[in-house]
C-alpha cells in the first residue's frame, strides 16, 4: 500500500530520517490515512478534441536534435520523410534551408546519434529535364534546394501523419502513411510536359547497399502508372550486422488516368537507361546507385498542375510482400483519406492526456503535446516483417536504445498507452525466446551495441509492476517475462557487446573490474555498467516481489546494492575538495584506480566525451563520474548517507547545477532535478526542473539541447510539464506541480481517468524561478494524502482527483512523517 495506508512494519529499522532542525523548515500539514476511491472521474475543464493541432513536428530539427518530422502513425514502421545532404541528417531531415533535398524515403529513426540510420528507398521528382537521359540520377547531381519563407526557414509544413514541402523547382511534395506503406503526392507546375519520378533503391543514409535488385513493370494490371520493385542489403547503424529491405512502388494520376508511363528504365549512378525492363546486378567492392525513372503523361489540362500519386510499400521479408501490404493498406491511393485517418489516430492517442489550455501559455501547450507526440514515433511496430523467425507475437524494432528510453518513455506509456506497451513487452520477450537475451539496442532487426546495462529489464519491470493483474489479458505471460529477466541476470552471452551482461564477473565480484578481460565484449564502461547492472537487478527484484518469489527478492535486492562496491569515499572533487566520495573504477583484487570526477564533463581537462568508440577505454559512458555518482534511484537515501548527510547532499546538487555538470543532453542526468525530494526539499526540485525546461527546451526548430534519443527527451519534458517524475519498475511517482491548472490521464486498460488539479495555479515563470508553483499540501479524492513528494500507482489504477494546493514558498516539505519521503531500499524498500 502507499502513503494513504502506510504499513510501518514494512520499513526497516535503519530508516534514514531528516530532522527539521537540519532543514530549517516549518511544517503545518496534518497527516491522515484514507482509502482511495475506485470511481472513474470525468474531467471538468475544456477538453482538447484535436490535440494534434498543437503538435509542432519541427522542434529539434536543427542543430543536433535529429528529430523526424515526417509522416507516420503512432509507432508506425514506415516513416515517410525528406532526406537532405546535411551532416546531421540522422532522421533524413534538417530544418536549415541551406541543405539540399536528396529525396523522400520511407524508413527513418528519430533523435538518434551514431551512424545515419535507415533513409531507405528515396523517391525524387523532376520537372526540368530536357530529355530522359539528361536527368541527373545520382544523389550528388539530382539534389535541389527548398523554397524559403520570409523568415529564412524552409517552406515545409507538417502535422501528425502528414508532411509537405515546396521545392525550388516549384514541385510540391506531400507525404502520408499507414503502418507499412507510404503515400506520396507530387504536384508539378502547370505546363510541365514530362513529369518524372525517380525511385532510388540503393542510397540509404550510410550509402551502404550491396546486392541491389531493381525490377520495372511498365504496365501492371490494375496499376496503369507502372511499378518498381526490388531491394538490397544495408548496414546496421549502431551495430555490426546487416539487414535486407525491399520496396514496391506503384503510380497513379490524381484526377486523370495514366494508361502507362511514356518513358521508363533503370539508372546506374548518374546514367539513366531508357527502355530497360529488368536489371539485376551484384557488385562487390563498391555500392552503385541503382534505381528506376518513369516519365508520365501530364494532366490533360495544361493550365492545371499535374499531381501524381506514388504508393510505396516496404518490407523486410520480400518485394512481393511489400507489394501485397501496400495493396492491402492503401488499395485506392486516396491521399486525403489516408491523411485524415492518420490524423484521427494521432488525435485519439494524444487525447488520452488532457491539459487545461485556459489560463496558461499556448507555447506550453505546444511544447507539451509536441513532446508527447515524439514519444510515440519509436519503437516501431514491425509486426509481420521479422525475417529471422516466424511468430504470432508482435515484433517491435527501432529500439535505439533502451538505455535512453527506460527512464521516462515507458513509464509515460504506462499512464496512457498500456496496450501498445504490452505489445512491445511481448515483442521483447519473443526476441529473448529466440535469441537468448532481451534486446537492448536494435535497428531493422540488427543487434546494436550495448550502452550500459541490460535495460530491457527495467522496461519489463515497469510493465509488470504496474500491470501484473492485467498481464495475462494483455497477452503477456508472467512466466515468460520472468524467464527473460533471469536470462539477463544469470547467463552470460557469447557477445555481451550487443546483448545481455558480463554476468560472470558481476556475480563473482559484485562489480565490473577494470582488469578482467573476457572474450565476449569490450573491456570498458566498468563503473557505469556496475551502476546500471545494480538498477537492472533492482527491477528484477520488484518483479520477483509481485510474483511472490521471496528468495529471489532477497537475492536481487542484495545485488541492487552492488553500487556500493564502486563507491570510493576518499576521492574529492578537484575544484571543490569539500565534495567527497565518488563512483570509481576498481581492480579485481579490490584496489582502486582513479578517474577524475570531471572526466567527460564540460570541465574535463582532457576534453574526453565517453562516447562509444572502439579504441576508447573509459569507465563511464556518455557522462561524468560526478553525474553517475548521483545515479542510484533505487536507494537515494543510502546515497545521501554516503555523501555526508542532507546538507552535504543538497550542497553537492547545488554545485552540480551551478557549475554545469548537469547534462541536459544525456539521460543519466534526467532524474537529478528531482533528487532534492529525497532531502525533503521538494521546492528545490520543482524549481530546478522548471529552470531546466526554461533553459534548454522550447518550441523552435533548435528547441532541443541534444539528440531526442527516440523520444527519451520528449517523454522527459512531458513528465516535467505534468508535474511528475517516474521511478521505473516501481509503483511510486515523484510529485511536483504541473504547467497547467488541470491535467488528466485516461487509461484504457483500467478504464479510469485521473485528474491532477493545481489549486491556486497562476501560471509559469518564464525563467523557471519562483512563482506560485510549490506544493503545500496534497489531497486524493478529497482526503489528505500523506506525502507532498510522491503518489502511488494505485491512484492511477482507481482514478479520481489529485488536488495540489500551491504556494509561492519554496521551503515546503514532503510531510510530517519519515514515510512521506520517497522510498529507498535502505529505508525499507518499495511497496
Amino acid at each position: 500500500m502507499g502513503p494513504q495506508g502506510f504499513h510501518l512494519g514494512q520499513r526497516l529499522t535503519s530508516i534514514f530520517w531528516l530532522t527539521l532542525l537540519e532543514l530549517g523548515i516549518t511544517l503545518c500539514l496534518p497527516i491522515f490515512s484514507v482509502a482511495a476511491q475506485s470511481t472513474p472521474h470525468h474531467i471538468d475543464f475544456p477538453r482538447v478534441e484535436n490535440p494534434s493541432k498543437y503538435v509542432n513536428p519541427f522542434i529539434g530539427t536543427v542543430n543536433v536534435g535529429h528529430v523526424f518530422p515526417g509522416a507516420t502513425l503512432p509507432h508506425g514502421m514506415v516513416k515517410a520523410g525528406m532526406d537532405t545532404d546535411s551532416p546531421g541528417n540522422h532522421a533524413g531531415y534538417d530544418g536549415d534551408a541551406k541543405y539540399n533535398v536528396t529525396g523522400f524515403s520511407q524508413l527513418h529513426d528519430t533523435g538518434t546519434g551514431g551512424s545515419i540510420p535507415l533513409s531507405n528507398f528515396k523517391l525524387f521528382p523532376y520537372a526540368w529535364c530536357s530529355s530522359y537521359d539528361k536527368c541527373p540520377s545520382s544523389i550528388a547531381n539530382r539534389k535541389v534546394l527548398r523554397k524559403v519563407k520570409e523568415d529564412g526557414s524552409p517552406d515545409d509544413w507538417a502535422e501528425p501523419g502528414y508532411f509537405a514541402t515546396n521545392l525550388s523547382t516549384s514541385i510540391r511534395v506531400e507525404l502520408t502513411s499507414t503502418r507499412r506503406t507510404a503515400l506520396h503526392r507530387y504536384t508539378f507546375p502547370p505546363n510541365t510536359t514530362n513529369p518524372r519520378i525517380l525511385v532510388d533503391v540503393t542510397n540509404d543514409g550510410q550509402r551502404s547497399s550491396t546486392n541491389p535488385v531493381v525490377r520495372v513493370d511498365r504496365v501492371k494490371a490494375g496499376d496503369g502508372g507502372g511499378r518498381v520493385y526490388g531491394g538490397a542489403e544495408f548496414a546496421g547503424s549502431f551495430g555490426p550486422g546487416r539487414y535486407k529491405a525491399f520496396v514496391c512502388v506503384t503510380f497513379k494520376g490524381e484526377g486523370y488516368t495514366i494508361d502507362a508511363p511514356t518513358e521508363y528504365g533503370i539508372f546506374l549512378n548518374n546514367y539513366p537507361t531508357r527502355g530497360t525492363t529488368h536489371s539485376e546486378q551484384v557488385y562487390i567492392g563498391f555500392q552503385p546507385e541503382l534505381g528506376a525513372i518513369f516519365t508520365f503523361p501530364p494532366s490533360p489540362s495544361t493550365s492545371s498542375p499535374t499531381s501524381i500519386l506514388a504508393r510505396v510499400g516496404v518490407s523486410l521479408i520480400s518485394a512481393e510482400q511489400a507489394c501485397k501490404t501496400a495493396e492491402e493498406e492503401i488499395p485506392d491511393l486516396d491521399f486525403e483519406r489516408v491523411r485524415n485517418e492518420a490524423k484521427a489516430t494521432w488525435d485519439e492517442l494524444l487525447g488520452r492526456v488532457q491539459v487545461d489550455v485556459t489560463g496558461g501559455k499556448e507555447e506550453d501547450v505546444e511544447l507539451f503535446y509536441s513532446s508527447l507526440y515524439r514519444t510515440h514515433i519509436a519503437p516501431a511496430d514491425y509486426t509481420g516483417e521479422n525475417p529471422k523467425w516466424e511468430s504470432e507475437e508482435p515484433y517491435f524494432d527501432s529500439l535505439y536504445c533502451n538505455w535512453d528510453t527506460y527512464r521516462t518513455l515507458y513509464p509515460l506509456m504506462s499512464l496512457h498507452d498500456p496496450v501498445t506497451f504490452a505489445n512491445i513487452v511481448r515483442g521483447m520477450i519473443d526476441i529473448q525466446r529466440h535469441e537468448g537475451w532481451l534486446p537492448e539496442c536494435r535497428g531493422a532487426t540488427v543487434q546494436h551495441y550495448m550502452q550500459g546495462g541490460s535495460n530491457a529489464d527495467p522496461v519489463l519491470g515497469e510493465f509488470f509492476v504496474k500491470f501484473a493483474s492485467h498481464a495475462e489479458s494483455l497477452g503477456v505471460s508472467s512466466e515468460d517475462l520472468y524467464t527473460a529477466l533471469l536470462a539477463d541476470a544469470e547467463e552470460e552471452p557469447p557477445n555481451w557487446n550487443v546483448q545481455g551482461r558480463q554476468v560472470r564477473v558481476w556475480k563473482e565480484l559484485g562489480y565490473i573490474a577494470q582488469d578482467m578481460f573476457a572474450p565476449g565484449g569490450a573491456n570498458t564502461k566498468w563503473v557505469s555498467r556496475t551502476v546500471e547492472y545494480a538498477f537492472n537487478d533492482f527491477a528484477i527484484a520488484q518483479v520477483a516481489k509481485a510474483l511472490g518469489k521471496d528468495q529471489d527478492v532477497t537475492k536481487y535486492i542484495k545485488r541492487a546494492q552492488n553500487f556500493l562496491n564502486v563507491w570510493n569515499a576518499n576521492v574529492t572533487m578537484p575544484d571543490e575538495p569539500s565534495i567527497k566520495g565518488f563512483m570509481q573504477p576498481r581492480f579485481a583484487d579490490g584496489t582502486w584506480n582513479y578517474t577524475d570526477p570531471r572526466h567527460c564533463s564540460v570541465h574535463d581537462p582532457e576534453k574526453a566525451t565517453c562516447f562509444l568508440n572502439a579504441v576508447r577505454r573509459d569507465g563511464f559512458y556518455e557522462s561524468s563520474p560526478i553525474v553517475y555518482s548521483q545515479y542510484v534511484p533505487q536507494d537515494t537515501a543510502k546515497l545521501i548517507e554516503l555523501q555526508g548527510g542532507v546538507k552535504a547532499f543538497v550542497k553537492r546538487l547545488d554545485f552540480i547545477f551551478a557549475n554545469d555538470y548537469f547534462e541536459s543532453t544525456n539521460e543519466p542526468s534526467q532524474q537529478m532535478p528531482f533528487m532534492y525530494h529525497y532531502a525533503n526539499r521538494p521546492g528545490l526540485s520543482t524549481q530546478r526542473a522548471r529552470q531546466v525546461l526554461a533553459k534548454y527546451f522550447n518550441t523552435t526548430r533548435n528547441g532541443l539541447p541534444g539528440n531526442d534519443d527516440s523520444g527519451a527527451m520528449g517523454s522527459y519534458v512531458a513528465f516535467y510539464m505534468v508535474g511528475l517524475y517516474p521511478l521505473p519498475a516501481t509503483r511510486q511517482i515523484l510529485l511536483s506541480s504541473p504547467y497547467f491548472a488541470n491535467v488528466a490521464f485516461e487509461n484504457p486498460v483500467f478504464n479510469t481517468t485521473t485528474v491532477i488539479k493545481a489549486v491556486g495555479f497562476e501560471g509559469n515563470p518564464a525563467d523557471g524561478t519562483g512563482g506560485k508553483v510549490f506544493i503545500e499540501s496534497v489531497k486524493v479524492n478529497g482526503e489528505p494524502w500523506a506525502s507532498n513528494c510522491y503518489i502511488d500507482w494505485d491512484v492511477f489504477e482507481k482514478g479520481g482527483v489529485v488536488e495540489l494546493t500551491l504556494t509561492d514558498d519554496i521551503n515546503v516539505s514532503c510531510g510530517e512523517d519519515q514515510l512521506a519521503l520517497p522510498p529507498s531500499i535502505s529505508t525499507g524498500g518499495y511497496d
Side-chain angles (χ1 to χ4, degrees), residues 597-614:
R598 300 169 298 178
H599 184 60
C600 295
S601 75
V602 294
H603 301 297
D604 183 0
E606 298 179 352
K607 307 300 181 185
T609 64
C610 290
F611 293 147
L612 189 70
N613 187 297

Side-chain angles (χ1 to χ4, degrees), residues 674-688:
F674 272 82
M675 293 185 76
Y676 293 97
H677 273 49
Y678 295 88
N680 208 7
R681 296 300 305 273
L684 294 180
S685 291
T686 295
Q687 182 155 282
R688 287 294 187 202

Side-chain angles (χ1 to χ4, degrees), residues 122-189:
K122 304 179 198 320
L123 273 62
F124 187 85
Y126 303 95
W128 72 92
C129 301
S130 59
S131 64
Y132 184 94
D133 58 1
K134 299 295 184 184
C135 289
S137 53
S138 71
I139 200 168
N141 287 282
R142 70 180 185 240
K143 60 187 181 182
V144 298
L145 292 169
R146 289 161 280 180
K147 289 186 176 180
V148 179
K149 301 176 185 176
E150 291 184 0
D151 63 0
S153 64
D155 192 8
D156 303 330
W157 198 87
E159 67 181 15
Y162 173 80
F163 177 90
T165 187
N166 289 310
L167 301 178
S168 59
T169 56
S170 296
I171 300 173
R172 180 168 178 79
V173 182
E174 298 168 273
L175 310 172
T176 189
S177 71
T178 56
R179 182 169 72 88
R180 291 183 287 177
T181 306
L183 188 58
H184 299 215
R185 179 160 62 191
Y186 295 94
T187 301
F188 298 82

Side-chain angles (χ1 to χ4, degrees), residues 368-437:
F368 172 73
Y369 276 117
S370 300
S371 300
L372 181 63
Y373 164 77
R374 296 200 310 276
T375 69
H376 291 288
I377 298 176
D381 185 355
Y382 279 50
T383 301
E385 295 297 341
N386 179 8
K388 294 192 171 185
W389 60 81
E390 293 185 5
S391 175
E392 297 298 318
E393 289 296 287
Y395 178 75
F396 279 74
D397 211 290
S398 290
L399 302 167
Y400 203 154
C401 299
N402 292 339
W403 183 85
D404 301 286
T405 55
Y406 81 85
R407 295 167 172 87
T408 54
L409 188 142
Y410 293 104
L412 188 58
M413 292 184 76
S414 291
L415 286 167
H416 72 289
D417 195 18
V419 174
T420 300
F421 189 8
N423 288 335
I424 293 170
V425 166
R426 289 171 61 188
M428 288 184 174
I429 294 170
D430 202 45
I431 290 172
Q432 184 277 325
R433 188 179 292 120
H434 289 88
E435 294 186 351
W437 291 266

Side-chain angles (χ1 to χ4, degrees), residues 225-356:
R227 182 175 72 165
V228 179
Y229 59 112
E233 295 181 10
F234 304 94
S237 165
F238 194 57
R242 296 182 67 81
Y243 66 96
K244 294 181 180 180
F246 304 91
V247 67
C248 180
V249 188
T250 53
F251 302 94
K252 178 182 179 182
E254 187 174 55
Y256 75 108
T257 300
I258 297 175
D259 293 324
T262 57
E263 297 171 308
Y264 59 96
I266 298 293
F267 74 85
L268 179 62
N269 297 327
N270 203 36
Y271 302 100
T273 303
R274 182 169 45 189
T276 304
T277 59
H278 176 266
S279 176
E280 181 170 329
Q281 306 285 348
V282 178
Y283 291 84
I284 299 175
F286 71 101
Q287 291 75 46
E289 299 187 58
L290 183 65
I293 301 176
F294 280 180
T295 306
F296 299 97
S299 169
S301 174
T302 58
S303 62
S304 300
T306 295
S307 291
I308 297 174
L309 298 166
R311 182 182 63 193
V312 189
V314 179
S315 175
L316 300 190
I317 304 293
S318 67
E320 290 72 22
Q321 178 153 311
C323 294
K324 181 175 182 291
T325 298
E327 291 166 0
E328 291 172 350
E329 293 189 352
I330 311 180
D332 53 0
L333 281 75
D334 185 334
F335 190 94
E336 294 304 323
R337 177 189 63 78
V338 175
R339 175 185 175 182
N340 291 336
E341 289 178 357
K343 183 177 182 297
T345 299
W346 278 109
D347 277 329
E348 189 281 324
L349 175 61
L350 299 176
R352 297 178 196 170
V353 185
Q354 290 287 316
V355 299
D356 191 341

